């Protein structure tokens, strides 16, 4: 129990750090500085307004200046629309959520009854907005877990924290028809583990091993004996992916959450969209319209009027109230019928306390990407569960935590990790279907105890067959380009304190340009077959530098549509045919900063399918044991090249 009480303290520390950063970045920072950092757009123009899903207002917004400035906004971010004038205090900003984003435009959803008048006054801007509701929900859930007595939640608390042993049905009680022919041995073992679990089961899915496929099949088989389950994940993107995959398998899915944060292609699964399709929805709208008409009629009566007018106004308001009450009862009936018909309800961890399902209980709760979820967030859906199934990989990216103090004190350790340590409840998926074996093997050695095997279909696949001379870099599945001794020293962005290395960026683009031109001229079929390149760096300043460099590089202009440049975090869960990684750090002190977070590097090194190119300074990196092992592996497989070979 002490650990859970400590968890409450860590949530508070994290919340205060989030508030402090928000105050520093937004509230206390002048608009001109926020614009430079990409934290604000100003001035903006509203090009279009419409009422969309959930009866929210949607505004299409375009920024009018600093069009080449990088933006810090992302889809799903909470933002505020403000009017910059002397009357700003009288015209408070309105909160919204970004639903779509382009370089200089965005679409924002606002959950308001009507747009403010100042929308038409000009001088409009968009700021980041801190959403603290999730902290409150996490605190509430952890308190609920602490106080639980003589309930299923109290039992799960003891099991998930390692105080009691998890219980499983014997293997011989699992029907043989649960063996799925399209899945491999370890995937079927993971599913049998889920079906046998009475309390908790874990699917440990390293990169490319089909974790989502296995999770979906486990959910489908669970539905053969259970009427309805809850499926959750930390992010809307992960929830949407599961929702889409389940629908394709013929499962009836109801997606709960803010319509602004649901992928537009999946909007038909949302509760709001399904309410609008219900046979009784027209009557519901009619009742609301009538209530509004009665209210407007009543409001026409002014202050000075006689008893007859007063009575008439009273009757009109009574009629409005009656219609609203009828509408509320009808809406509740529609929602309950939709909830009861769904086989799977999907939501984010925090979204599982949505008002429509806040008090709903589930026989099984599935939590995907659980190794990326804060422990207190996981307790929110667990409080609704009879049993829990988690999927993830604790050897990849941990949750994002703003407070260093909270992270060091234990908030960075997930419930997923704790359960793996405390219970024999996990099965690891062992066949990966993404990477050439040479790309896989270093991570396999370092993180997965050499238990991973590359499927025959990917084991030796490359971009193309090596030319007879064997000289072209593109023929190799894995390359490390060593910049040691080249004078490519790292630099620091004084504003963001992030590192970048311009010479390393130039070398990367040069190598990539050679590869792309070779493919265009000699192997054009490769470019025509869903070809894609990811360029990754652990440092945001290097990501920005590479993006700017790419814009100015004429030799690569024709290939831009193939290339995506992002941080390691931005590539989590993704894959590309080719991946380039710029490690940046190059200094005489051997300092590598957060490159020492080896789980982050595991993600970067396992995004490539057919070709991986890593660029870095061995003299700096080699002073760390992990990267020394990496350099040994590179030498062992013949993947080492010096940057000197590529000069000229």
């Amino acid at each position: 129990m002490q650990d859970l009480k400590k968890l409450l303290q860590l949530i508070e520390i994290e919340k205060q750090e989030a508030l402090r950063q928000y105050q520093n970045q937004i509230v206390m920072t002048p608009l001109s500085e926020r614009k430079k950092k990409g934290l604000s757009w100003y001035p903006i123009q509203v090009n279009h307004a419409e009422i969309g899903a959930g009866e929210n207002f949607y505004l299409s917004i375009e920024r009018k200046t600093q069009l080449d400035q990088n933006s810090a906004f992302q889809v799903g971010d909470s933002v505020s629309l403000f009017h910059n004038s002397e009357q700003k205090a009288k015209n408070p900003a309105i909160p919204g959520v970004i639903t779509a984003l382009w370089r200089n435009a965005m679409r924002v959803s606002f959950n308001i009854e009507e747009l403010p008048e100042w929308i038409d006054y000009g001088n409009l801007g968009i700021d980041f907005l801190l959403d603290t509701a999730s902290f409150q929900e996490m605190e509430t859930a952890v308190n609920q877990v602490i106080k639980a007595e003589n309930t299923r939640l109290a039992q799960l608390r003891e099991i998930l924290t390692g105080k009691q042993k998890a219980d499983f049905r014997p293997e011989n009680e699992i029907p043989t028809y649960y063996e799925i022919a399209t899945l491999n041995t370890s995937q079927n073992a993971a599913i049998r583990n889920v079906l046998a679990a009475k309390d908790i089961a874990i699917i440990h899915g390293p990169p490319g091993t089909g974790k989502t496929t296995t999770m979906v099949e486990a959910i489908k088989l669970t539905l053969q004996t259970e009427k309805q389950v809850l499926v959750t994940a930390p992010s809307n993107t992960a929830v949407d992916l599961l929702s889409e995959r389940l629908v394709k398998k013929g499962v009836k899915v109801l997606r709960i959450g803010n319509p602004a944060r649901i992928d537009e292609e999946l909007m038909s699964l949302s509760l709001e969209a399904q309410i609008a399709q219900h046979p009784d929805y027209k009557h519901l709208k009619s009742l609301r319209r009538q209530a509004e008409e009665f209210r407007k009629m009543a409001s026409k009566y002014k202050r000075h009027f006689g008893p007859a007018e007063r009575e008439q106004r009273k009757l009109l308001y009574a009629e409005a109230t009656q219609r609203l009450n009828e509408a509320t009862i009808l809406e509740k009936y529609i929602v309950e019928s939709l909830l009861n018909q769904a086989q799977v309800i999907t939501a984010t961890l925090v979204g599982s306390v949505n008002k429509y399902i806040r008090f709903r209980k589930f026989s099984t709760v599935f939590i995907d990407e659980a190794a990326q979820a804060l422990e207190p967030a996981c307790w929110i859906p667990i409080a609704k569960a009879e049993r829990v199934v988690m999927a993830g990989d604790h050897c990849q990216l941990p949750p994002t935590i703003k407070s260093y103090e909270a992270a060091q004190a234990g908030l960075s350790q997930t419930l997923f990790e704790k359960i793996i340590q405390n219970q024999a409840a996990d099965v690891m998926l062992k066949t990966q279907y993404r990477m050439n074996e040479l790309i896989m093997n270093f991570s396999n050695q370092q993180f997965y105890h050499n238990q991973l095997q590359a499927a025959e279909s990917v084991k030796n696949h490359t971009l193309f067959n090596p030319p007879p001379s064997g000289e072209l870099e593109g023929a190799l599945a894995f390359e490390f380009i060593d910049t040691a001794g080249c004078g490519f020293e790292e630099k620091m962005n004084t504003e963001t304190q992030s590192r970048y290395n311009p010479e390393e960026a130039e070398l990367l683009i040069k190598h990539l340009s050679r590869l792309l031109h070779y493919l265009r001229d000699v192997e054009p079929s490769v470019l025509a077959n869903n070809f894609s390149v990811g360029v990754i760096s652990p440092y945001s300043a290097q990501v920005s530098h590479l993006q700017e460099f790419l814009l100015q590089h004429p030799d690569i202009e024709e290939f831009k549509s193939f290339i995506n440049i992002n941080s390691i975090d931005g590539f989590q869960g993704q894959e590309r045919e080719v991946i380039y990684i710029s490690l940046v750090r190059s200094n005489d002190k051997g300092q590598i900063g957060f490159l020492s977070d080896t789980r982050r590097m595991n993600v970067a090194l396992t995004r490539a399918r057919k070709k991986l190119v890593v660029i870095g300074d061995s003299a700096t990196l080699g002073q760390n044991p992990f990267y020394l092992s990496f350099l040994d592996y590179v030498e062992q497989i013949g993947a080492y090249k010096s940057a000197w070979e590529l000069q000229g």
Side-chain angles (χ1 to χ4, degrees), residues 315-519:
L315 289 170
L316 288 168
Y317 273 130
E319 287 286 351
T321 301
Q322 182 182 337
R323 296 297 192 281
L324 282 175
N325 288 340
E326 289 178 26
T328 300
I329 292 168
L330 180 57
E331 182 181 41
K332 187 176 180 182
Y333 162 76
I334 293 172
V335 169
E336 278 300 307
S337 67
L338 290 170
L339 289 171
N340 291 334
Q341 289 167 21
Q343 293 176 284
V344 173
I345 293 175
T346 61
T348 61
L349 299 173
V350 175
S352 65
V353 289
N354 180 284
K355 64 181 180 180
Y356 296 116
I357 60 169
R358 181 176 282 272
F359 303 108
R360 203 173 184 91
K361 298 291 185 180
F362 297 88
S363 51
T364 302
V365 167
F366 290 83
I367 303 177
D368 196 16
E369 303 295 358
Q372 287 180 262
L374 291 172
E375 178 180 343
C378 285
W379 286 112
I380 298 172
I382 290 171
K384 303 171 177 297
E386 287 296 311
R387 69 176 193 133
V388 183
V389 177
M390 291 181 167
D393 180 15
H394 54 298
C395 301
Q396 295 187 63
L397 283 176
T400 300
I401 299 173
K402 295 180 184 294
S403 167
Y404 178 79
E405 179 188 353
Q408 292 299 108
L411 191 59
S412 61
Q413 187 177 29
T414 63
L415 186 59
F416 184 92
E417 288 179 85
K418 291 178 182 178
I419 296 168
I420 282 184
Q421 291 171 7
N422 295 329
Q423 299 284 1
D426 60 297
V427 171
M428 191 177 99
L429 307 181
K430 296 180 180 178
T431 304
Q432 69 85 13
Y433 299 90
R434 175 185 299 165
M435 293 163 274
N436 179 293
E437 191 173 44
L438 293 177
I439 298 171
M440 175 194 77
N441 276 342
F442 178 70
S443 283
N444 194 16
Q445 294 169 11
Q446 294 291 314
F447 298 99
Y448 305 112
H449 310 291
N450 281 321
Q451 293 185 71
L452 283 183
Q453 293 182 330
E456 286 299 321
S457 58
V458 302
K459 185 175 182 179
N460 298 308
H461 69 179
T462 54
L463 277 178
F464 51 85
N465 292 323
S469 65
E471 293 174 358
L472 183 78
E473 291 84 356
L476 303 172
F478 190 171
E479 292 177 67
F480 173 72
I481 301 173
D482 187 5
T483 65
C486 293
F488 292 2
E489 289 203 6
E490 67 189 63
K491 297 179 175 19
M492 180 185 283
N493 183 309
T494 53
E495 283 188 8
T496 64
Q497 302 295 297
S498 182
R499 313 274 173 166
Y500 67 103
N501 192 320
E503 289 89 359
E504 188 172 289
E506 186 174 355
L507 179 67
L508 186 154
I509 296 295
K510 181 178 181 180
H511 188 284
L512 175 58
S513 177
R514 283 185 61 186
L515 173 61
L516 292 172
H517 280 86
Y518 179 87
L519 292 175

Side-chain angles (χ1 to χ4, degrees), residues 493-602:
N493 183 309
T494 53
E495 283 188 8
T496 64
Q497 302 295 297
S498 182
R499 313 274 173 166
Y500 67 103
N501 192 320
E503 289 89 359
E504 188 172 289
E506 186 174 355
L507 179 67
L508 186 154
I509 296 295
K510 181 178 181 180
H511 188 284
L512 175 58
S513 177
R514 283 185 61 186
L515 173 61
L516 292 172
H517 280 86
Y518 179 87
L519 292 175
R520 183 197 64 187
D521 297 338
V522 182
E523 301 278 351
S525 61
V526 175
L527 296 180
N529 190 24
N530 295 319
F531 182 73
S532 58
V533 178
V535 179
I536 302 177
S537 179
Y539 291 92
S540 59
Q542 185 75 339
V543 170
S544 298
H545 194 78
L546 283 160
Q547 288 170 336
E548 290 168 12
F549 201 98
L550 187 65
L551 286 172
Q552 300 163 5
H553 203 289
D555 291 347
I556 228 161
E557 177 74 32
E558 64 185 287
F559 306 108
K560 281 183 184 176
S561 62
F562 298 122
I563 305 168
N564 179 231
I565 302 174
N566 212 329
S567 64
I568 295 175
D569 299 54
F571 271 100
Q572 171 87 343
Q574 298 188 42
E575 60 184 68
R576 296 288 188 273
E577 293 292 283
V578 179
I579 288 286
Y580 279 75
I581 304 173
S582 171
L583 296 178
V584 176
R585 300 309 298 262
S586 179
N587 56 75
D588 54 12
K589 296 177 182 177
Q591 295 177 344
I592 62 169
F594 62 71
L595 280 188
S596 56
D597 182 352
T598 56
R599 288 186 295 180
R600 182 167 264 101
M601 277 309 300
N602 184 33

